[in-house]
Amino acid sequence: MRKLLFISAICLLSCNRNAQTVHPPVGGILSQKDLEVSKNRMKNLNTIERNQIQEWISSQNVRYYPTQLNYWVSVEGYDQRERRADNTSISYSYDLYDFDQTKIYDQPVERREARFGHFDELKAVENALRFIHDGEEVTLLVPSALAYGTFGDEKKIDNDIPLIIKLKAL
C-alpha cells in the first residue's frame, strides 16, 4: 500500500506542473526571475523526494545512511572512506530500479577501465565510485536531481524520478 501511495505521489508531482512553461529567450539567457522559479521548483521537489525516500527507508529491513552529496547508501560511513583520485581507473556496473523495486533496464550499465575525471556518469554514481572498494556492491537511493533530473533519460526513465541504484565495483 505504501508503495502505491509513493508512486501515486510521484505521478501527481510530475503531473502537477505550473501551466506556464519557461522557455529561454533566443540567445539562451534566462532572466533572474526565471532562474528563481527554477531554483524554487527544484528545492521543493528535492524536499518532497527526500521525505518520500525517508519514508520508504523506514519500511525497509536494510539500513541506509545519508551522504554529504544528498543521496543514501547501504554502508555506514561510506563517504568518510579514502577517496579515489582523478585519473585512477575503475570498472563497474549498476542496475537501476524504481522505488517499487522494479528493474528499469534488463541489462546493467557497465563500464570497463573508466578514468575518474574523464567519464560522464550520474552524479551520485560517480561520487559513490570514489569510495567503493574493489568487488564491493552497494545500494544507492538517489533523488531525481542526482539521477536523470528534469528530462529523464528520454527512454524508460521519466522526468523527476528518484532511483535505487545497485552499484558494483568489478
Side-chain angles (χ1 to χ4, degrees), residues 12-100:
L12 283 174
L13 211 130
S14 64
C15 294
N16 188 13
R17 306 259 178 192
N18 189 347
Q20 200 174 32
T21 304
V22 177
H23 297 284
V26 177
I29 300 171
L30 292 173
S31 71
Q32 189 61 35
K33 180 183 174 195
D34 293 340
L35 291 173
E36 197 62 35
V37 167
S38 178
K39 178 182 167 185
N40 288 336
R41 179 191 173 281
M42 287 308 296
K43 185 177 180 181
N44 292 337
L45 179 62
N46 189 43
T47 300
I48 290 168
E49 287 181 2
R50 287 184 62 77
N51 290 336
Q52 290 169 335
I53 291 171
Q54 284 285 12
E55 187 176 312
W56 184 86
I57 289 171
S58 67
S59 70
Q60 302 302 303
N61 294 329
V62 176
R63 296 236 8 206
Y64 293 92
Y65 305 91
T67 65
Q68 295 175 7
L69 191 62
N70 197 28
Y71 63 90
W72 289 260
V73 67
S74 59
V75 176
E76 187 173 13
Y78 190 75
D79 59 352
Q80 304 304 313
R81 295 175 173 182
E82 186 175 337
R83 189 175 195 270
R84 293 179 191 244
D86 279 347
N87 289 319
T88 58
S89 66
I90 188 168
S91 296
Y92 62 93
S93 70
Y94 62 88
D95 286 302
L96 301 171
Y97 297 82
D98 62 21
F99 273 83
D100 277 336

Side-chain angles (χ1 to χ4, degrees), residues 104-165:
I104 296 172
Y105 289 105
D106 294 332
Q107 298 298 315
V109 175
E110 187 172 312
R111 307 272 190 267
R112 297 281 179 181
E113 300 301 318
R115 293 203 168 280
F116 285 106
H118 300 283
F119 63 94
D120 186 28
E121 197 56 80
L122 298 174
K123 291 177 188 176
V125 169
E126 184 170 357
N127 180 262
L129 286 168
R130 296 277 186 171
F131 302 102
I132 200 167
H133 294 150
D134 291 339
E136 184 177 30
E137 188 170 340
V138 297
T139 301
L140 313 175
L141 308 178
V142 182
S144 64
L146 295 174
Y148 289 96
T150 304
F151 299 104
D153 73 347
E154 298 180 357
K155 296 173 189 163
K156 290 187 171 187
I157 302 172
D158 205 4
N159 61 318
D160 301 326
I161 300 295
L163 296 173
I164 298 171
I165 302 173

Side-chain angles (χ1 to χ4, degrees), residues 1-14:
M1 183 64 175
R2 281 185 156 189
K3 290 179 184 179
L4 182 60
L5 285 173
F6 181 74
I7 295 300
S8 298
I10 294 294
C11 290
L12 283 174
L13 211 130
S14 64

